[in-house]
Amino acid sequence: GAGVSQSPSNKVTEKGKDVELRCDPISGHTALYWYRQSLGQGLEFLIYFQGNSAPDKSGLPSDRFSAERTGGSVSTLTIQRTQQEDSAVYLCASSYNRVPDTQYFGPGTRLTVL
Amino acid sequence: ELKVEQNPLFLSMQEGKNYTIYCNYSTTSDRLYWYRQDPGKSLESLFVLLSNGAVKQEGRLMASLDTKARLSTLHITAAVHDLSATYFCAVDGQAGTALIFGKGTTLSVSS
């Protein structure tokens, strides 16, 4: 079946611009997660959605980062006024329910901020 | 602060050899996850260990969990080149939402 999909696969932007990253989870999965993977920092949790609500936003690094999920499905991660330190691979994962269900990861969006 | 530590971080192996990757964690989690990541690719779930003493095997990989020692191992038997990848272990975060990952072990198998 279809897995988690993300778009775009690569995004190059200039410092100060806003970007939107999209995640389409596996159909029927109620839980959705965003992680960031960068050299030297490993995999960092950003935000968790259960349905359309985000009960855990503890990993968002600053108020420039926000995310929403609509219809219990697609999620968008928005980074405003991008900085060079935002450069990373942004991974989305979904699970049938919240942890401890296995999280299935998408291919990621590689963000490069020049 | 919850910590997940893997060692070694880099492992160069010869084909046919055996080796073990260790994952120590600081929480009292009863569950531990192993993922594999190929270069430029996303994470693929390998094992989910759900209780103390759990052991799971898939091909040349075997994972085990000792919750009392807060230790999981990933044992590689008779390594082959196709196993070259980065392996991550992860535990449940304290909020019960996210996974907390180790830094990963990059395995390189050569002939």
Side-chain angles (χ1 to χ4, degrees):
Chain A
V4 179
S5 60
Q6 292 185 246
S7 61
S9 55
N10 281 285
K11 177 72 177 178
V12 179
T13 190
E14 293 179 346
K15 178 181 171 182
K17 301 276 190 181
D18 298 351
V19 295
E20 285 189 351
L21 312 180
R22 176 188 167 109
C23 171
D24 207 334
I26 293 171
S27 178
H29 280 192
T30 63
L32 186 147
Y33 312 80
W34 284 97
Y35 294 86
R36 177 168 74 173
Q37 186 175 27
S38 52
L39 286 174
Q41 296 296 323
L43 270 153
E44 303 172 89
F45 165 73
L46 297 177
I47 187 169
Y48 154 71
F49 286 92
Q50 182 63 40
N52 290 335
S53 64
D56 188 352
K57 305 178 184 180
S58 61
L60 294 178
S62 76
D63 59 8
R64 295 187 296 105
F65 287 72
S66 63
E68 65 174 11
R69 188 179 185 194
T70 55
S73 180
V74 172
S75 176
T76 303
L77 177 69
T78 301
I79 309 172
Q80 296 179 307
R81 305 181 302 281
T82 52
Q83 303 294 312
Q84 288 182 331
E85 61 262 30
D86 299 335
S87 296
V89 176
Y90 289 82
L91 292 165
C92 174
S94 70
S95 63
Y96 182 70
N97 207 332
R98 57 181 278 177
V99 166
D101 282 350
T102 298
Q103 295 184 24
Y104 296 89
F105 282 79
T109 294
R110 181 174 296 278
L111 175 66
T112 303
V113 182
L114 302 177
Chain B
E1 180 190 352
L2 195 158
K3 291 184 179 179
V4 181
E5 295 183 345
Q6 288 183 237
N7 73 85
L9 296 182
F10 298 95
L11 179 55
S12 182
M13 294 179 65
Q14 283 188 319
E15 281 191 328
K17 298 291 188 183
N18 304 333
Y19 209 85
T20 301
I21 299 170
Y22 297 88
C23 175
N24 289 92
Y25 55 95
S26 61
T27 184
T28 55
S29 175
D30 286 337
R31 291 176 291 269
L32 190 128
Y33 310 80
W34 284 98
Y35 285 85
R36 168 181 171 147
Q37 186 177 37
D38 290 292
K41 305 288 186 182
S42 192
L43 279 78
E44 172 193 356
S45 177
L46 290 175
F47 302 109
V48 181
L49 302 169
L50 297 176
S51 60
N52 185 42
V55 177
K56 290 198 173 179
Q57 183 163 4
E58 179 76 30
R60 300 175 188 274
L61 300 178
M62 183 173 71
S64 65
L65 178 62
D66 181 344
T67 58
K68 290 182 171 54
R70 300 183 186 177
L71 171 68
S72 180
T73 60
L74 181 65
H75 187 72
I76 302 153
T77 301
V80 292
H81 180 71
D82 285 352
L83 291 179
S84 297
T86 299
Y87 294 86
F88 292 91
C89 64
V91 297
D92 299 336
Q94 289 173 329
T97 54
L99 293 178
I100 308 300
F101 285 84
K103 290 194 180 294
T105 296
T106 298
L107 172 64
S108 175
V109 181
S110 57
S111 55

